Amino acid sequence: MDNEEVQWMIITKAFGFTDKFPKVTPYSHEEWISVISVLQEVELEEIIVNLTLDAIWNKLRKEICPKFWSHFKSHSTKVKEANEKETIVDAVSNLVQALKELHLEILNLIPYVERCQKVCEVSNVVVEGKLGNDDNLLSLLKLHLQATLYSQLPPLAFKLVKEVYSAAFKLFSHKKGHFHLDNVENTEFQSICRSCSFSNEDCQCSLISQAFDVINGILQELELLERMAGNIIEDLLLMAIEDHVAVICKDSFDKHRIQSLENWVEKVSTEWLEFIYSTNPGSSQDQKSSFKKGKIEMYKSAMYHKYTSTRIKQLFNIVIEYPDSQPALEDLRECLEKTDLRDTLVKSLKQAIKDILHAYISAIKGLRVLDPKGILLELVSEPIRQYLRGRSDFVRYIAIILTDSSCSELSDELVVAAPLVLDDSYSEIEDMNNWEAWTPDPMHAQSSVKSKSQRTADIISMLVNIYGSKTIFINEYGTILADRILSQFSYDTEREIMYLEHLKVRFGESLSPLHKCEVMVKDVADSKRINATIQSAEQNSHVRHKFPISAMILSSQFWPTFKEQSLQLPDEVLKEMEIYTEAYQSMKGNRTLNWKPHLGQVELEIELKNRTLHLVVTPTKATIIHHFEKKPKWALEDLSKVTLIPKGILRQKIAFWQAQGLVQEAEQDVFALVEDDDVLESRNSYLGGAPYSSSQDVPLSASACLEDEAESVMASAQDQRQEELQVLWSYIVGMLTNLESVSLERIHAMLKMFIQDTVECSLEELRAFLEMKMRQHQIILSNGMYRLPKN
């Protein structure tokens, strides 16, 4: 043999790539120095290292990984013919065998990789395919192993892993005493091991435990644990947490649960993570501690979410059982601050209201069949009426579905032309026109409820009688009507006129709130006529306008209270509004307009380099993007000063333009116009007016209205009611000034005498109002008598 052949034999024997990597032969230090010398002599260091690594990657791809996955395929075939217990044992055995074989193959390759590593360190060899600056070839081997395994992933591959880890989790949980099966009295189950489900005589716990230690150890050593079982490890504990929370919270509202659940989750998750990751050799103590802390927080978050979801489903029963259920409510309040389920809570409560109303209406109809006289209904439905009286949101819900054609259950009742009958308007004189159909009240009827149901014959009357005042319903309808008009900005009021006529039949035309609703509808028709007249005059005068304005002109004293928000519109918009105001004044003489700049709709056309956006947004959002046209970068505080929008609200509104991709947060509280390929050349045209604008003449695409969910433009009914009750305060102060101290009943009687036609107020509502004044230190209660505090 010549010298070159000898050199080649030395190289191939040391690196093994020509013989498919036989079992490695250890080299002494002198022998290894000889190999390095040969490599340097023939100048083949880089070629040999890359040949060796390529051969290793090829062996992983064609031999090692396919052989590993073959165990999973054979297990899937056996599962179809085995029972559950046999499947668990077979799963453990298959996975142990597969991982042992894989482990041995990798252990055999590691010395060859280490030899390549030594060559790289001595000769500065560049390795093909190396990622980043990591020069550790063992890490590259494990990375290739992970990638190759995943590239050949067979169907249902993780079923085998899940079976093994599920069995281990069951073993762990019963060993630690965290979970227990239901108490089974049947003696048939007393001879069964609860950990492995085999008979006590044939218990497989020891086998499963030993095999699992081998499986988990190999997966950690090869850095395959997270890839192969990470999600399964998490899911097992998450499912256990959900089951535990469901059991703890089942029909139990009288005890605080959050603290004990937090302690339980922390204890169980800590022990489970230590059970799985205790042998992890590749992490420092700090890394392990940080990893464990992050996992525990995740498990706690899942517990909060499950607890909140469970309590939301039970919320109706929790409310019914108050005050015994106060601990559950306090726990729920705490969890709502840690989850994003507040919207789910609102939806659940809304559904509960629907269910209550549906149940009440069904009770009315059903009990009428059982007792046409209605005495039975009157006797049994008082608890429902009492509950509904305490729900201020229930009034609004009834008012909505009463005038919604899609809710036929009540809207059909409204169409029936029958005047509303209130309990307090009843006369002892019965209707004698149908005296032959008259029947006496049943003997069991109490005198206090005698014939009341006869007098409130229809469902709407009974619902109104819950609150005892039709004014409450009409005021709520007025707010809903205003919202409908000012959210649609349409001049079509045919449907609203129809419902208004039905309400007039039901509640009487003389009712003051109904008259206000009539004026509101009339304002819409007047606005349509005024806009047409002003726009026609402007066209005839040939005055050039940057954009048209259509205003909804409202009679302020007849509309409900609006939500107020400060907003400084751009100068060009204010100028067009002034021109509109002057035109209106020339038509109406001594009348003028007081604009609400934050209310209405703006039709925007935003031109970009490669597209044009057509949007319908609020004046607030239009004003924000208009300022970015003039100056591409704004600090939140500076923009707030220019627009007069509070910083908290401003940030929320800017989020809309961030979602459209037109604005981005360049740094903390600094926002910039996006100027990449879609640089905003922005011709922000106000095609519709700033305040109440009509868009009926401007064609928009179906996706044009990208506005977020519309909010009510009206002040809440509670806020409006507080303003109405504030009228009473001056009368109450006058009473207490003159009489020094007055009882609640006397205050109520005197108010009814002097301002009955102005503001209706029940005794309980007056009590609540005075309690609020007491908290504000404006009034004092002593021995059942109210008096003013001394200065």
Side-chain angles (χ1 to χ4, degrees):
M1 297 176 64
D2 58 20
N3 187 46
E4 291 181 354
E5 289 178 340
V6 172
Q7 290 173 331
W8 183 248
M9 286 180 61
I10 292 172
I11 292 170
T12 54
K13 181 180 179 183
F15 292 93
F17 55 86
T18 56
D19 296 327
K20 296 185 177 181
F21 305 102
K23 187 174 180 180
V24 71
T25 302
Y27 276 18
S28 65
H29 179 69
E30 291 75 13
E31 289 174 320
W32 179 245
I33 293 297
S34 175
V35 172
I36 293 293
S37 298
V38 171
L39 280 174
Q40 291 176 338
E41 182 180 345
V42 297
E43 298 180 352
L44 292 177
E45 300 100 311
E46 185 171 331
I47 293 175
I48 294 302
V49 166
N50 283 306
L51 277 174
T52 303
L53 293 178
D54 284 344
I56 291 174
W57 309 154
N58 192 53
K59 185 177 180 68
L60 285 173
R61 185 171 61 255
K62 293 184 177 181
E63 297 178 23
I64 297 175
C65 292
K67 185 179 179 182
F68 174 76
W69 288 125
S70 67
H71 291 279
F72 289 70
K73 295 175 182 177
S74 65
H75 175 72
S76 298
T77 304
K78 293 178 182 178
V79 166
K80 298 177 181 178
E81 304 173 357
N83 59 40
E84 183 179 354
K85 292 189 293 185
E86 292 173 346
T87 300
I88 294 173
V89 174
D90 186 64
V92 172
S93 301
N94 267 281
L95 192 53
V96 167
Q97 184 179 352
L99 284 171
K100 280 185 174 180
E101 291 176 2
L102 177 66
H103 190 228
L104 287 174
E105 293 280 7
I106 300 302
L107 287 179
N108 188 55
L109 292 175
I110 285 176
Y112 293 106
V113 174
E114 289 175 339
R115 289 177 180 180
C116 291
Q117 179 75 42
K118 291 178 180 178
V119 174
C120 290
E121 292 171 355
V122 171
S123 304
N124 296 322
V125 171
V126 177
V127 176
E128 296 176 359
K130 183 168 68 66
L131 300 177
N133 298 320
D134 189 1
D135 293 327
N136 189 342
L137 294 184
L138 283 178
S139 298
L140 189 61
L141 170 65
K142 292 177 180 178
L143 185 63
H144 270 273
L145 174 62
Q146 295 170 16
T148 307
L149 283 173
Y150 259 73
S151 68
Q152 299 178 5
L153 194 70
L156 304 176
F158 292 105
K159 181 176 175 57
L160 175 61
V161 181
K162 185 175 181 180
E163 288 174 1
V164 171
Y165 274 83
S166 297
F169 183 77
K170 192 175 180 181
L171 207 68
F172 156 81
S173 62
H174 288 292
K175 179 180 179 182
K176 295 292 184 179
H178 296 310
F179 314 100
H180 300 280
L181 297 175
D182 294 335
N183 294 325
V184 182
E185 298 296 337
N186 195 331
T187 55
E188 179 184 348
F189 296 96
Q190 293 180 0
S191 60
I192 294 177
C193 175
R194 292 186 174 185
S195 297
C196 64
S197 300
F198 282 80
S199 65
N200 291 330
E201 296 177 355
D202 195 24
C203 178
Q204 301 292 319
C205 290
S206 178
L207 182 148
I208 294 172
S209 179
Q210 293 174 8
F212 179 76
D213 289 341
V214 173
I215 292 168
N216 202 61
I218 293 175
L219 287 175
Q220 288 192 75
E221 184 178 339
L222 299 180
E223 297 181 10
L224 292 173
L225 182 59
E226 286 301 309
R227 289 270 187 164
M228 295 288 293
N231 291 337
I232 296 171
I233 291 167
E234 287 185 0
D235 290 345
L236 287 169
L237 187 51
L238 289 173
M239 287 188 292
I241 290 172
E242 289 190 0
D243 292 342
H244 185 72
V245 172
V247 171
I248 292 297
C249 297
K250 185 178 181 180
D251 300 326
S252 174
F253 312 137
D254 59 344
K255 293 181 180 179
H256 288 284
R257 301 290 184 184
I258 290 300
Q259 186 62 52
S260 61
L261 284 172
E262 285 176 340
N263 295 338
W264 182 88
V265 169
E266 186 163 353
K267 186 175 188 297
V268 174
S269 57
T270 299
E271 293 179 351
W272 174 238
L273 292 173
E274 288 177 353
F275 179 71
I276 296 295
Y277 296 100
S278 58
T279 59
N280 189 350
S283 301
S284 66
Q285 193 61 38
D286 290 341
Q287 288 175 323
K288 289 180 181 179
S289 177
S290 177
F291 173 81
K292 187 188 298 183
K293 184 177 179 181
K295 289 285 186 180
I296 291 173
E297 289 303 316
M298 182 194 71
Y299 293 134
K300 282 186 178 181
S301 178
M303 181 274 291
Y304 295 136
H305 194 281
K306 177 61 179 178
Y307 180 88
T308 307
S309 301
T310 303
R311 288 308 193 201
I312 286 175
K313 293 176 182 177
Q314 301 169 336
L315 193 55
F316 182 77
N317 291 331
I318 292 174
V319 172
I320 293 298
E321 293 189 18
Y322 185 84
D324 292 340
S325 61
Q326 183 167 340
L329 288 169
E330 291 174 351
D331 283 348
L332 179 58
R333 180 185 62 197
E334 180 181 343
C335 287
L336 281 172
E337 296 173 357
K338 301 175 181 178
T339 62
D340 57 351
L341 294 175
R342 194 170 295 275
D343 290 341
T344 305
L345 174 68
V346 173
K347 291 177 182 178
S348 178
L349 285 174
K350 286 183 177 179
Q351 186 59 47
I353 293 173
K354 292 180 182 179
D355 294 341
I356 295 165
L357 180 60
H358 177 75
Y360 186 53
I361 293 173
S362 298
I364 293 173
K365 294 178 178 179
L367 291 176
R368 277 180 179 167
V369 175
L370 185 63
D371 176 20
K373 190 68 176 177
I375 301 299
L376 183 60
L377 174 64
E378 194 71 29
L379 288 170
V380 302
S381 62
E382 178 56 30
I384 300 177
R385 293 197 298 273
Q386 185 176 356
Y387 171 74
L388 297 180
R389 269 194 294 272
R391 295 292 299 263
S392 58
D393 51 354
F394 198 75
V395 182
R396 181 174 181 84
Y397 180 70
I398 293 175
I400 289 174
I401 65 173
L402 199 62
T403 55
D404 187 351
S405 57
S406 62
C407 300
S408 58
E409 195 165 27
L410 278 186
S411 60
D412 291 347
E413 290 278 339
L414 180 63
V415 176
V416 179
L420 186 74
V421 182
L422 292 176
D423 287 347
D424 53 10
S425 64
Y426 171 67
S427 171
E428 291 296 332
I429 302 174
E430 296 282 355
D431 184 6
M432 299 304 295
N433 294 330
N434 193 24
W435 61 272
E436 291 181 340
W438 175 82
T439 56
D441 290 341
M443 293 181 64
H444 62 270
Q446 300 174 10
S447 58
S448 60
V449 297
K450 193 173 182 180
S451 295
K452 279 188 177 180
S453 295
Q454 180 78 12
R455 301 192 298 274
T456 56
D458 64 89
I459 294 173
I460 294 178
S461 296
M462 297 191 72
L463 290 173
V464 173
N465 279 327
I466 291 174
Y467 296 91
S469 172
K470 51 191 175 183
T471 305
I472 295 176
F473 280 88
I474 301 304
N475 284 337
E476 197 64 54
Y477 170 71
T479 302
I480 295 168
L481 176 62
D483 262 331
R484 286 176 181 169
I485 292 173
L486 300 182
S487 61
Q488 299 172 1
F489 292 95
S490 169
Y491 294 126
D492 183 11
T493 57
E494 182 178 350
R495 188 187 73 160
E496 302 303 340
I497 292 173
M498 179 190 71
Y499 282 120
L500 191 55
E501 291 299 320
H502 288 313
L503 289 171
K504 284 163 65 177
V505 172
R506 280 281 179 169
F507 293 90
E509 295 191 26
S510 61
L511 198 63
S512 175
L514 272 179
H515 175 62
K516 291 182 179 180
C517 293
E518 285 186 290
V519 174
M520 291 162 61
V521 174
K522 183 177 180 296
D523 282 344
V524 177
D526 290 344
S527 298
K528 180 179 181 181
R529 175 176 51 79
I530 292 170
N531 281 316
T533 303
I534 292 177
Q535 290 170 7
S536 176
E538 289 174 347
Q539 291 174 0
N540 294 334
S541 64
H542 304 289
V543 177
R544 295 180 63 85
H545 293 278
K546 291 186 177 180
F547 46 83
I549 285 183
S550 296
M552 190 72 76
I553 302 169
L554 315 176
S555 304
S556 58
Q557 66 270 31
F558 292 96
W559 283 71
T561 307
F562 295 105
K563 283 183 179 177
E564 294 297 335
Q565 178 188 313
S566 58
L567 174 65
Q568 179 63 42
L569 294 172
D571 292 338
E572 50 265 55
V573 179
L574 293 173
K575 184 176 179 180
E576 295 295 332
M577 290 166 60
E578 288 176 6
I579 295 173
Y580 188 99
T581 302
E582 290 173 0
Y584 178 81
Q585 288 172 341
S586 65
M587 288 179 58
K588 295 294 183 178
N590 61 347
R591 303 173 92 183
T592 189
L593 297 175
N594 178 24
W595 296 88
K596 296 287 185 182
H598 66 291
L599 301 178
Q601 290 180 345
V602 180
E603 294 173 16
L604 283 180
E605 182 181 286
I606 303 178
E607 292 185 357
L608 306 169
K609 271 190 174 180
N610 54 359
R611 60 191 173 115
T612 301
L613 296 179
H614 294 273
L615 305 174
V616 179
V617 299
T618 62
T620 302
K621 292 174 182 174
T623 300
I624 291 170
I625 199 64
H626 175 84
H627 283 287
F628 279 97
E629 179 184 13
K630 296 183 176 180
K631 180 180 172 182
K633 196 170 186 179
W634 283 92
L636 189 69
E637 186 172 353
D638 294 338
L639 189 57
S640 176
K641 290 178 180 178
V642 172
T643 59
L644 301 183
I645 304 171
K647 286 191 288 188
I649 297 176
L650 181 59
R651 177 177 281 278
Q652 294 174 8
K653 302 303 180 184
I654 291 177
F656 172 81
W657 294 114
Q658 288 179 278
Q660 303 305 315
L662 298 182
V663 175
Q664 64 182 3
E665 190 167 7
E667 52 188 278
Q668 182 68 30
D669 289 339
V670 177
F671 296 88
L673 196 64
V674 175
E675 301 204 18
D676 294 327
D677 295 335
D678 296 334
V679 176
L680 187 66
E681 299 175 345
S682 73
R683 178 172 61 85
N684 289 345
S685 308
Y686 278 79
L687 299 180
Y692 309 112
S693 64
S694 170
S695 58
Q696 62 176 5
D697 298 323
V698 182
L700 295 174
S701 64
S703 61
C705 187
L706 299 176
E707 180 73 314
D708 51 351
E709 185 180 354
E711 297 179 354
S712 172
V713 299
M714 316 309 297
S716 67
Q718 184 178 1
D719 293 338
Q720 294 182 48
R721 185 57 177 165
Q722 286 300 320
E723 288 187 12
E724 292 176 356
L725 292 177
Q726 198 63 34
V727 176
L728 306 178
W729 181 238
S730 59
Y731 288 90
I732 296 173
V733 171
M735 291 181 209
L736 298 179
T737 301
N738 295 325
L739 303 176
E740 292 189 359
S741 60
V742 187
S743 67
L744 175 67
E745 291 74 13
R746 189 175 180 188
I747 294 175
H748 185 250
M750 294 178 72
L751 289 174
K752 287 184 67 176
M753 183 185 303
F754 291 111
I755 57 172
Q756 183 176 13
D757 296 333
T758 306
V759 180
E760 291 187 9
C761 181
S762 66
L763 186 65
E764 289 302 316
E765 193 172 18
L766 177 61
R767 189 194 306 275
F769 178 72
L770 293 177
E771 287 177 356
M772 181 191 71
K773 292 297 182 181
M774 288 170 57
R775 290 192 295 272
Q776 297 173 355
H777 307 291
Q778 298 184 44
I779 197 172
I780 296 173
L781 176 62
S782 177
N783 297 324
M785 305 292 283
Y786 290 93
R787 60 181 177 83
L788 295 175
K790 296 179 180 179
N791 295 330

